[in-house]
Amino acid sequence: MTDVLVVGAGPAGLAAAVAARRRGAAVRIIDAAEGLGGQYWRHLPSSRPSEREELLHHGWDTFGSLRDEVCQDPDIVVSMQTEVWAIEQTADNRLRVNLARGEADGTGRLTEALAPEQLILATGAHDRALPVPGWTLPGVFTAGAAQAMAKGERIAIGERVVVAGSGPFLLSVTASLGQAGARVVGVYEASRSRALARHWLARPWELAGAAHKIGELAEYAVHHIRGRVPYRTGHGVVAVHGTDRVEAVTVAVLDEHWRVVTGTERRIDCDAVCFGHGFVPRLELPIAAGCHITERRFVHVDACQRTSADRVFAVGELTAIGGADLALAQGEIAGWVAAGGSLDDRDIRRAIRSRTRAEQFADRMDRAHAIGDCWSDWLGDDTIVCRCEDVDAGTLKRVAAATNSTGLRPLKLNTRAGLGLCQGRVCGRNVEQILLATHGCEEFADATTTDRRPIATPIRIADLARAPEHPTDSVLNRPRSQ
Amino acid sequence: MRAVIIGAGITGAACARALARAGFAVAVLERGAAVGGTSAMCEGNLLVSDKAPGPELALALHAADRWYALRDELRDELGPDFPSIEYERKSGLVVATTHTGARALKTFSGTQRAAGVEARELSVDDAGKLEPFLTRDITAAVHYPQDAQVQPAATAEALLASARRAGTEVLTGVEVTGAMRGIDGRINGVSTMNGRHGADIVINAAGPWAGAVASSLGVSLPVLPRRGMVLVTTRMPHRIFRKVYDADYVGATQSGDADLQTSTVVESTAAGNVLIGSSRQRIGFDDRLDLGVVREIAAKSMRLFPFLAEMQILRTYGGFRPYMPDHLPVIGEDPRVPGLYHVTGHEGAGIGLSVASADILRARILGEDSPVDAAPFTVDRPTLVPHLREMAR
């Protein structure tokens, strides 16, 4: 049996595990969370089951059948609360994947090393929020966090919520907020309607097959009209106000570069704000595995979902931000091929067709909702950009100007931006763009990015010192106890 | 007089500052980003404690005095907008954990005292007073008040900014491809991917890449990269107050072995992250993560500071140190190419020795008295000649 290790148990990872098993592989699937489903199908824990999950989730039936297949097959080992903390490229050009199991900041985590024959990376993306003055006030959430609280805890982040940013996820989070009992007072999409129309409505026949995706969006749209939620394009929340917590926001019209159109600012009272400016793929593991990253900062894959690294596949949001349909299709193809299947096999024809449609959809989304160049003009010098280390925009600009440095590494060391606990996951892209804008250049002279994190997740020194030197010989082996 | 300096790490920056202040028109050529190589991948040690009596110690003692004054000079010149170099004369504490190690440490520190180093033997109890979290499982401890540290990337940037203020031009993304020579055989500039730069003198300050730069200029130089890894913890309240290291470190710095050697070196940064080293390994320019090295460093650090076991490692980084087969830096003119100077080969001591090396370079070029005897650092010293011959074959 081929050994396949799948990292990430969201739609892409689950589909990959099931397809690989169907094709006859031995599969191990791991995820840092306690429950299967990833961010997309985040739900109440099984200790507190809900009757209403299917109302809150798209494709809940799909999740149910994937979950059942994964959990009921003895040749699929499921390891929850398990993280990859490092991937090594060994001298014989194999990969060694180092796992740690247990509470993320707990002591005495079980460590394990694997040398899988095939590795499928399905680590997804985390959501991006652009900083604005006041965004560190209590009551400001990222769209992802707001969604997670609504789906995973049934908690609404506020009573009067403003949703702002860019992309269809704003609609999705608005729906979730409504279901959790919040009143959304406005949704502000920064992209202008012309850009949306240009990408959304061009060549509609390409989207014909993505009807249910369109349906999903239509459903959100209907939900908005019914709920009387104002939806404005070409608008952004450019400041958040309040003393101890959010009391109001400033909304303004944005031009195509996301510059504020002077005189259009309006104040809107609210007690919570939810920001979502697209997603950033979690690239640290692909980079550690030696995968080529494209100019648009996704993992490069071929038609089989193979990366440039030998025996490493990437699926889902690592390759494009395309939602669950794309993730499911890519996962199925990668799992099938990793287990020895071929693209010509009948079994995955449907997945290939579905992938083509979803890719077109993803590409349009990406273009329609691209972040404008001038967003950093919104910032004051005292606006915090890196929250872990309390680094403000003024410091970034001042140090970049004083040192004249075009190297990301020395700039990080000398501003401390991105050196904190999250290792630049939250602020990385924002920090990069502010620094590059200061010098007016396209990329850093040391050709590095904030995505490179050889230690992918913090690990205690005792656990590190005890980490096994030699990998177990099969992904199905349970880790030895320590 | 025009000078071209190859490499914008801390050594190139210190040399640029020294020459620009002496009235040279200086251009620094950097292949990548300034402060993008070894100077951004190290700990920033300014140590005398790890050096045996001899030329390198003399250089380090001169450097220790220079840094003390330099901190204020740079701060006054660059003002509050510039990131702090985080100079801290925090002193070093070297401990032994075996009886053999204890004997060796006491003998070694005795020879250092004779050479002018402040080195005080402490009882285990007194060591515990200086470092309450240190293991009591030690056999000897020596305190070195002259040891200090800086934040290396900020320090390199500060020296470079100061050099700019003295008229230095820094060009990044410029790779040197060859030498320009006059009919008298002197070097009179370099050619690069982006055109030529004329100069009366050329200084090779490319750290571990200085061997490749020398080759492109038509001479051999036996500089090899020696990899060193550093582990960085999350921030915490300060529990480690000095530079604390195991006496094994001295042996590792003086060894010529290519295989992996690790010894424990622990210190806090101003921000509260703890830096944990150290390793030395000659594996070319291979920068892939090797957890074997990281694991060994982690395991040894817990023996010195047991509380570290529960602390979290946030990141690791590895840098290449410019290694010389006879363990001495090269500072001076290349007799094979008049007008070409090398300043490299400091291995793990380059941050501390950069400024002192620039002082020697300046003295050699201007024909002034050198603050430290420069003879041991020449390119044609007896201990290096066999290696040069070996390479020339």
Side-chain angles (χ1 to χ4, degrees):
Chain A
M1 273 207 276
T2 311
D3 253 8
V4 178
L5 175 66
V6 181
V7 181
L14 288 171
V18 166
R21 181 68 207 105
R22 275 197 200 148
R23 185 62 183 65
V27 178
R28 172 93 163 262
I29 182 165
I30 70 160
D31 196 290
E34 282 178 52
L36 295 168
Q39 299 296 337
Y40 188 74
W41 286 318
R42 186 191 278 261
H43 52 284
L44 287 177
S46 49
S47 55
R48 297 187 279 139
S50 157
E51 294 300 307
R52 297 173 54 245
E53 292 292 359
E54 67 279 6
L55 302 176
L56 290 176
H57 292 278
H58 286 278
W60 189 246
D61 293 349
T62 309
F63 172 59
S65 61
L66 287 170
R67 181 186 50 195
D68 293 347
E69 276 197 73
V70 162
C71 293
Q72 286 160 13
D73 194 319
D75 287 319
I76 300 181
V77 173
V78 180
S79 307
M80 300 316 290
Q81 282 198 313
T82 303
E83 290 186 290
V84 176
W85 60 272
I87 293 181
E88 296 166 275
Q89 301 174 39
T90 57
D92 55 356
N93 284 325
R94 292 295 305 270
L95 291 181
R96 195 158 51 198
V97 183
N98 296 277
L99 311 179
R101 190 153 57 122
E103 293 279 340
D105 49 3
T107 50
R109 288 200 289 176
L110 283 179
T111 50
E112 190 186 356
L114 292 174
E117 286 171 46
Q118 307 286 344
L119 175 64
I120 300 178
L121 296 172
T123 48
H126 44 264
D127 58 333
R128 177 174 178 183
L130 300 179
V132 304
W135 77 303
T136 50
L137 281 168
V140 179
F141 294 81
T142 65
Q147 176 105 336
M149 286 171 74
K151 281 185 178 179
E153 301 291 337
R154 302 288 187 274
I155 293 173
I157 57 170
E159 288 176 11
R160 289 172 51 82
V161 186
V162 167
V163 175
S166 185
F169 190 60
L170 298 184
L171 301 174
S172 159
V173 76
T174 299
S176 297
L177 284 167
Q179 283 158 328
R183 182 174 155 223
V184 177
V185 294
V187 179
Y188 300 97
E189 162 63 58
S191 292
R192 302 178 70 79
S193 48
R194 208 171 340 140
L196 296 180
R198 193 168 56 232
H199 297 293
W200 274 87
L201 304 176
R203 298 194 300 282
W205 59 88
E206 283 182 0
L207 293 176
H212 103 109
K213 192 81 212 169
I214 297 290
E216 197 175 312
L217 289 165
E219 203 175 305
Y220 288 132
V222 166
H223 175 89
H224 282 261
I225 293 158
R226 266 204 210 124
R228 298 272 190 281
V229 177
Y231 177 78
R232 302 255 183 284
T233 58
H235 280 67
V237 166
V238 295
V240 181
H241 312 284
T243 40
D244 303 325
R245 57 167 299 115
V246 175
E247 292 164 22
V249 295
T250 296
V251 171
V253 175
L254 304 177
D255 73 8
E256 60 186 324
H257 300 291
W258 293 23
R259 260 188 303 251
V260 173
V261 177
T262 318
T264 61
E265 298 92 341
R266 284 187 300 130
R267 194 179 158 103
I268 293 176
D269 290 341
C270 59
D271 64 357
V273 192
C274 171
F275 283 121
H277 296 96
F279 294 86
V280 179
R282 307 183 56 143
L283 295 175
E284 58 268 13
L285 297 183
I287 288 172
C291 304
H292 175 70
I293 308 298
T294 65
E295 253 177 46
R296 287 167 85 177
R297 312 242 330 237
F298 290 102
V299 182
H300 172 81
V301 286
D302 67 8
C304 298
Q305 302 296 136
R306 286 183 199 280
T307 68
S308 67
D310 189 30
R311 295 180 286 195
V312 182
F313 296 75
V315 292
E317 303 205 303
L318 288 175
T319 71
I321 304 300
D325 294 346
L326 184 59
L328 287 164
Q330 288 186 334
E332 188 177 338
I333 294 162
W336 186 260
V337 175
S342 136
L343 281 187
D344 303 329
D345 297 342
R346 294 176 60 109
D347 312 65
I348 53 167
R349 270 188 203 163
R350 236 183 57 196
I352 291 172
R353 277 201 304 275
S354 162
R355 179 179 66 178
T356 307
R357 280 194 305 269
E359 272 173 351
Q360 285 165 344
F361 185 80
D363 188 54
R364 287 172 175 231
M365 290 289 147
D366 200 37
R367 288 173 199 284
H369 298 283
I371 289 181
D373 293 335
C374 296
W375 65 267
S376 59
D377 295 357
W378 310 345
L379 308 182
D381 275 355
D382 60 350
T383 307
I384 298 289
V385 178
C386 164
R387 297 178 72 161
C388 294
E389 294 284 329
D390 262 354
V391 184
D392 60 28
T395 301
L396 291 175
K397 292 174 187 167
R398 196 177 62 242
V399 171
T403 60
N404 208 12
S405 175
T406 52
L408 179 61
R409 189 171 167 80
L411 281 166
K412 276 174 63 179
L413 290 168
N414 294 331
T415 59
R416 295 201 57 88
L419 296 186
L421 202 54
C422 86
Q423 284 291 284
R425 280 182 179 81
V426 174
C427 70
R429 297 285 166 100
N430 302 336
V431 166
E432 286 178 28
Q433 288 185 352
I434 292 168
L435 290 172
L436 288 171
T438 308
H439 287 309
C441 49
E442 291 289 305
E443 58 179 22
F444 294 101
D446 53 357
T448 186
T449 68
T450 49
D451 301 317
R452 202 176 161 278
R453 302 179 189 96
I455 299 289
T457 174
I459 180 150
R460 286 183 196 276
I461 292 179
D463 295 344
L464 175 53
R466 270 201 311 262
E469 284 178 53
H470 302 292
T472 49
D473 49 8
S474 159
V475 293
L476 296 184
N477 282 5
R478 296 287 178 177
R480 55 185 177 74
S481 56
Q482 291 168 328
Chain B
M1 292 280 277
R2 288 175 308 164
V4 158
I5 296 175
I6 303 163
I10 195 161
T11 300
C15 293
R17 181 177 188 262
L19 294 182
R21 290 183 155 219
F24 279 78
V26 182
V28 179
L29 309 182
E30 165 59 51
R31 180 183 58 171
V35 195
T38 307
S39 306
M41 299 274 192
C42 58
E43 291 181 316
N45 285 326
L46 315 178
L47 300 184
V48 297
S49 55
D50 65 335
K51 293 174 180 67
E56 200 189 6
L57 178 61
L59 194 61
L61 285 166
H62 168 65
D65 295 338
R66 287 284 276 117
W67 281 109
Y68 200 65
L70 197 61
R71 172 192 50 181
D72 297 345
E73 276 175 44
L74 290 171
R75 194 184 47 208
D76 295 345
E77 183 188 7
L78 301 173
D81 274 356
F82 208 91
S84 164
I85 70 168
E86 297 177 14
Y87 173 89
E88 200 182 345
R89 197 163 188 167
K90 54 169 36 177
S91 77
L93 185 67
V94 183
V95 298
T97 48
T98 61
H99 289 296
T100 326
R103 272 197 302 277
L105 174 58
K106 287 175 180 173
T107 310
F108 183 69
S109 60
T111 62
Q112 290 175 303
R113 260 192 301 278
V117 173
E118 294 176 53
R120 300 194 196 105
E121 275 186 37
L122 300 181
S123 66
V124 173
D125 280 349
D126 286 342
K129 285 190 188 107
L130 288 185
E131 292 291 343
F133 292 90
L134 178 69
T135 177
R136 290 294 181 272
D137 220 358
I138 56 173
T139 51
V142 179
H143 184 226
Y144 290 90
Q146 289 156 304
D147 281 355
Q149 80 180 31
V150 289
Q151 197 272 68
T155 308
E157 292 283 13
L159 289 167
L160 201 59
S162 175
R164 266 198 212 94
R165 285 166 170 259
T168 297
E169 188 183 11
V170 181
L171 301 165
T172 55
V174 177
E175 186 162 4
V176 170
T177 52
M180 294 155 52
R181 308 277 283 267
I183 40 174
D184 55 356
R186 273 189 73 84
I187 194 164
N188 59 15
V190 294
S191 46
T192 73
M193 299 279 198
N194 331 41
R196 297 178 152 204
H197 291 267
D200 302 296
I201 51 171
V202 173
I203 291 109
N204 173 13
W209 298 274
V213 168
S215 298
S216 74
L217 301 176
V219 290
S220 58
L221 196 67
V223 190
L224 293 170
R226 201 177 188 196
R227 190 171 193 213
M229 293 293 296
V230 178
L231 281 55
V232 187
T233 68
T234 52
R235 288 167 82 167
M236 60 181 91
H238 286 273
R239 280 185 245 173
I240 297 170
F241 305 97
R242 286 156 193 80
K243 305 184 78 70
V244 183
Y245 64 89
D246 188 318
D248 290 349
Y249 179 73
V250 178
T253 60
Q254 295 309 310
S255 143
D257 205 333
D259 292 343
L260 172 67
Q261 295 171 309
T262 59
S263 58
T264 308
V265 179
V266 187
E267 74 214 43
S268 294
T269 64
N273 304 89
V274 174
L275 303 181
I276 304 172
S278 66
S279 68
R280 282 159 196 268
Q281 216 180 355
R282 288 219 320 268
I283 45 173
F285 285 106
D286 184 345
D287 67 348
R288 290 175 300 183
L289 176 70
D290 178 351
L291 282 182
V293 178
V294 174
R295 196 184 298 114
E296 206 170 289
I297 294 172
K300 285 186 177 179
S301 73
M302 288 161 38
R303 282 181 230 152
L304 218 50
F305 285 100
F307 84 90
L308 284 175
E310 296 305 311
M311 298 298 120
Q312 290 191 311
I313 292 297
L314 196 52
R315 57 183 176 271
T316 73
Y317 57 89
F320 297 106
R321 326 286 183 227
Y323 165 89
M324 280 303 218
D326 63 351
H327 293 288
L328 275 181
V330 171
I331 311 164
E333 192 168 20
D334 193 316
R336 298 162 296 184
V337 184
L340 171 64
Y341 292 76
H342 303 289
V343 186
T344 182
H346 301 90
E347 205 182 314
I351 299 295
L353 300 182
S354 58
V355 172
S357 302
D359 289 344
I360 294 183
L361 175 77
R362 181 198 140 123
R364 299 291 286 187
I365 290 172
L366 297 178
E368 298 170 343
D369 282 345
S370 176
V372 180
D373 179 14
F377 306 113
T378 53
V379 180
D380 51 1
R381 61 193 181 229
T383 48
L384 207 56
V385 167
H387 297 284
L388 294 171
R389 285 211 193 101
E390 180 71 25
M391 290 182 81
R393 266 194 220 129

